[in-house]
């Protein structure tokens, strides 16, 4: 095991040395370029000198500066000893040698060169990422080992945007935790449990961590001591309302009041009035028939003027609620009823949802989504009693209706107003086309004058023979008794040839596309050709008039790729890919539309963020043969050699490299 560790350490050391050597070499190349540019201004740097160097580096450089009239300043720290002899060396080469040998650096200012020791920049250690937050999935990951709690909480706050604080005693506590992709509150709960801390949440939504032995912070504590009870309803005998008990407590720090209540089969409006008076809240209750009531307008309880079991417009309520504010009490008790409330200038207005003056309007500004056509996303049952208008200038939505319905739609909009990831798509499109053409011809005929012998070896092979050469060949054949074909006329000639043409075309492009999650990105490149369309119109009966219209119509051959990425919560990307390619096949008749062929490919793949995938198999092979010769003779074997023949083979292959990367 020790041998493995030593080997690993040795490999790391060698790697560090190699990297450092490469950095030094890059620095010296830069110095050489700077000296070359500076020597065009100060030509004395190109002078050659003979110098016997014996002394310190600063003394040698000073002697060179005095001899060549160069402006050189030297750092007094340069005291390395030099014992060398230089002959016919350029001054700039000498300075570069000294920089290499004694680890020096140069700075240039106007006509002045400054020589000083090179200061190696120590690599700044990358701070460990203690908290990692995925805004898309709302998941938090923690990785800390014996880290100060306040340092971890700062990292959590910066990454999530949630305020997380600790008590003064807990801030310097060394904590350890490892949590992978948990909800923010769950991750903080695990952090507290693993390090014997207590976690609380303030009314403002911030999280508070403290040692278990610490007393609860007064901001978070609710003083349930009955001695602090405020008797705001003094003088009102609620004992007459059967099955109703209330206890009011107050926060000793914020003076916020909290209600504990138990009620069984109590009419809704009576219950609201009792709680409002007990908490000392200013309210105005709209009732049917105009019998409106406000704070202080109380009806006697002992005479049981309101029935205990409620009515259709004033249903009976049974409930148990602890540590609720007045607004929370109204939210709970009015849910599912036809009543709502509105706070106006410190007065709670309570009545029917359609009551004039109880409707509310609110502007909800969106951060990550477009307000245009946002109403199509909101469920229809939420829109029944709320008027929804997009406010495009502010990228907001204007909601108008009863407060509970408005609050419900606002909560829904906030739940879907998430950060939408942008996917950057890097494409590498490689189109390889290969072709091979073989042509051969054999031609005979009579020229205007006697032909001479000719031969060509490149490009292609061709031979041309005149009558004299052909007659010698015929005489040889006749003299050996093979065949006697006679002689040809002086202007007769024979020409034959063969040529092979091979081609290779590689087309490479690297477009980059960006699109929102689940939106398609399209890349198209192509060629447009035009053909002529003629239309002739004949008009008239006796004296006809002919009118001819000529139009030019276009035909496109395109390469199109469409990519639709879909990002999942674990940053996997599902990619729907559509590839379509069309091309012109060759020449057509004059006036006819160009002939085309097309290829289409569709696929769905799943890749990790930043991985590259390759699409292949989009290949085409084509083979053509053509011949020219005399009519009828071109169809007879052997005689069809008299003429020209052409064979064409071509194939093409399309490769597409796709690399999607998530960018928030």
């Amino acid at each position: 095991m020790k041998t493995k560790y030593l080997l690993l350490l040795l490999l790391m050391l060698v790697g560090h040395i190699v990297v450092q050597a490469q950095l030094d070499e890059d620095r010296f190349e830069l110095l050489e370029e700077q000296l070359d540019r500076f020597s065009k201004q100060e030509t004395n740097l190109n002078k050659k000198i003979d110098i016997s160097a014996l002394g310190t580096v600063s003394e040698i450089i000073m002697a060179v500066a005095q001899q060549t009239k160069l402006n050189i300043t030297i750092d007094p720290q340069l005291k390395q000893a030099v014992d060398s002899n230089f002959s016919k060396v350029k001054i700039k080469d000498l300075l570069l040698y000294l920089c290499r040998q004694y680890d020096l650096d140069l700075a240039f200012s106007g006509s002045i060169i400054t020589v000083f020791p090179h200061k190696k920049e120590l690599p700044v250690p990358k701070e460990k990422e203690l908290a990692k937050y995925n805004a898309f999935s709302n998941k938090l990951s923690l990785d800390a080992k014996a880290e100060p709690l306040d340092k971890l909480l700062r990292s959590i706050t910066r990454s999530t945007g949630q305020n997380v604080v600790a008590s003064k005693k807990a801030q310097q506590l060394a904590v350890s935790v490892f949590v992978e992709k948990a909800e923010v509150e769950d991750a903080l709960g695990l952090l507290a449990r693993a390090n014997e801390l207590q976690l609380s949440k303030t009314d403002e939504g911030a999280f508070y961590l403290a040692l278990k032995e610490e007393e609860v912070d007064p901001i978070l504590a609710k003083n349930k001591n009955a001695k602090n009870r405020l008797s705001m309803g003094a003088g009102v005998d609620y004992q007459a309302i059967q099955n109703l008990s209330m206890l009011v407590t107050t926060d000793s720090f914020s003076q916020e009041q909290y209600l504990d209540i138990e009620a069984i089969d109590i009419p809704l409006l009576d219950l609201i009035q009792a709680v409002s008076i007990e908490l000392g809240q200013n309210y105005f209750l709209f009732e049917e028939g105009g019998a409106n009531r406000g704070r202080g307008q109380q009806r006697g309880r002992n005479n049981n003027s309101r029935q205990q079991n409620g009515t259709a417009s004033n249903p009976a309520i049974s409930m148990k609620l602890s540590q609720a504010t007045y607004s929370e009490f109204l939210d709970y008790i009015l849910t599912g009823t036809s009543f709502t409330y509105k706070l106006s200038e410190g007065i709670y207005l309570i009545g029917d949802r359609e009551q004039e003056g109880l409707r509310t309007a609110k502007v909800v500004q969106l951060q990550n989504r477009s307000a245009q056509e946002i109403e199509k996303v909101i469920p229809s049952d939420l829109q029944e009693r709320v008027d929804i208008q997009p406010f495009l200038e502010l990228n907001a939505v204007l909601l108008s209706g009863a407060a509970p319905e408005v609050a419900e739609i606002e909560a829904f909009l906030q739940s879907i107003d998430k950060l939408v990831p942008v996917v950057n798509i890097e494409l590498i499109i490689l189109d390889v086309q290969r072709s091979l053409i073989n042509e051969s011809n054999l031609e005979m005929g009579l020229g205007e004058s006697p032909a001479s012998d000719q031969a060509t070896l490149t490009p292609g092979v061709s031979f041309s023979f005149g009558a004299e050469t052909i007659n010698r060949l015929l005489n040889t054949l006749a003299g050996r008794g093979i065949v006697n074909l006679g002689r040809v006329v002086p202007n007769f000639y024979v020409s034959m040839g063969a040529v092979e043409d091979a081609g290779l075309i590689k087309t490479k492009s690297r477009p980059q596309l960006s699109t929102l999650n689940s939106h398609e990105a399209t890349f198209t490149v192509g060629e447009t050709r035009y053909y002529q369309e003629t239309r002739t119109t004949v008009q008239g009966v006796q004296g006809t008039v002919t009118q001819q219209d000529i139009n030019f119509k276009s035909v496109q051959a395109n390469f199109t790729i469409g990519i639709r990425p879909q990002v999942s919560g674990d940053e996997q990307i599902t990619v729907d890919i559509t590839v379509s390619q069309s091309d012109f096949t060759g020449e057509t008749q004059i006036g006819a539309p160009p002939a085309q062929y097309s290829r289409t490919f569709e696929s769905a793949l799943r890749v990790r963020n930043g991985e590259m995938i390759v699409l292949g198999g989009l290949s085409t092979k084509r083979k053509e043969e053509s011949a020219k010769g005399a009519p009828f003779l071109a169809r007879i074997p052997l005689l069809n050699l008299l003429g020209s023949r052409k064979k064409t083979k071509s194939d093409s292959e399309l490769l597409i490299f796709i690399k999607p990367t998530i960018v928030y």
Side-chain angles (χ1 to χ4, degrees), residues 373 389 520:
E373 299 183 348
Q389 295 294 334
E520 186 177 26

Side-chain angles (χ1 to χ4, degrees), residues 340-544:
T340 186
Y341 74 92
K342 179 181 179 181
L343 181 61
S344 176
E345 298 181 354
I347 301 175
Y348 285 87
L349 306 178
I350 305 170
D352 191 87
R353 294 177 186 269
E354 302 300 328
Q355 181 77 37
E356 182 180 354
L358 292 183
R359 292 177 64 85
T360 184
K362 189 166 187 180
V363 176
V364 180
Q365 192 167 23
L366 303 178
Q367 302 295 326
N368 302 298
R369 298 186 65 92
S370 172
Q372 190 170 15
E373 299 183 348
I374 191 67
E375 64 273 11
K376 294 182 179 180
V377 183
I378 302 174
S380 57
D381 56 338
L382 296 181
Q383 302 185 43
E384 290 181 355
R385 295 186 177 184
V386 179
D387 184 29
I388 303 173
Q389 295 294 334
F391 197 172
L392 300 182
E393 289 79 1
L394 294 179
N395 193 40
V397 182
L398 179 60
L399 305 177
S400 176
E405 282 87 356
V406 169
E408 194 172 7
I409 294 181
E410 181 184 7
F412 174 78
L413 291 176
Q414 290 176 351
S415 68
I416 65 172
D417 190 22
K418 301 277 188 179
L419 182 65
V420 180
V422 175
V423 181
N424 181 62
I425 304 169
E426 182 179 355
L427 297 175
I428 301 177
I429 303 171
L430 187 62
D431 191 4
V432 181
Q433 299 181 5
R434 303 178 182 87
S435 62
L436 179 63
I437 302 175
N438 290 315
E439 293 186 44
S440 61
N441 68 290
L442 178 59
E443 182 180 351
M444 300 181 185
L446 296 175
E448 296 180 358
S449 59
S452 58
D453 297 342
Q454 294 182 355
T456 303
L457 298 179
T458 183
V461 179
S462 65
F463 299 95
S464 181
F465 303 102
E468 184 178 350
T469 303
I470 296 173
N471 287 328
R472 284 201 300 268
L473 177 61
L474 293 175
N475 291 335
T476 302
L477 295 175
R480 294 182 179 180
I482 299 175
V483 63
N484 188 1
L485 297 177
R487 296 177 60 84
V488 298
V489 298
N491 290 350
F492 187 80
Y493 70 93
V494 175
S495 177
M496 63 181 66
V499 63
E500 181 176 289
D501 186 5
L504 175 63
I505 301 176
K506 291 184 179 180
T507 304
K508 182 178 180 181
S509 58
R510 299 192 63 171
Q512 289 200 3
L513 310 175
S514 294
T515 183
L516 289 175
N517 184 30
S518 297
H519 287 67
E520 186 177 26
T522 304
F523 172 76
T524 301
V525 62
E527 177 186 1
T528 302
R529 292 186 182 181
Y530 295 88
Y531 68 94
Q532 179 178 309
E533 185 178 78
T534 304
R535 180 180 180 182
T536 303
T537 304
V538 179
Q539 298 178 347
V541 180
Q542 297 180 352
T544 59

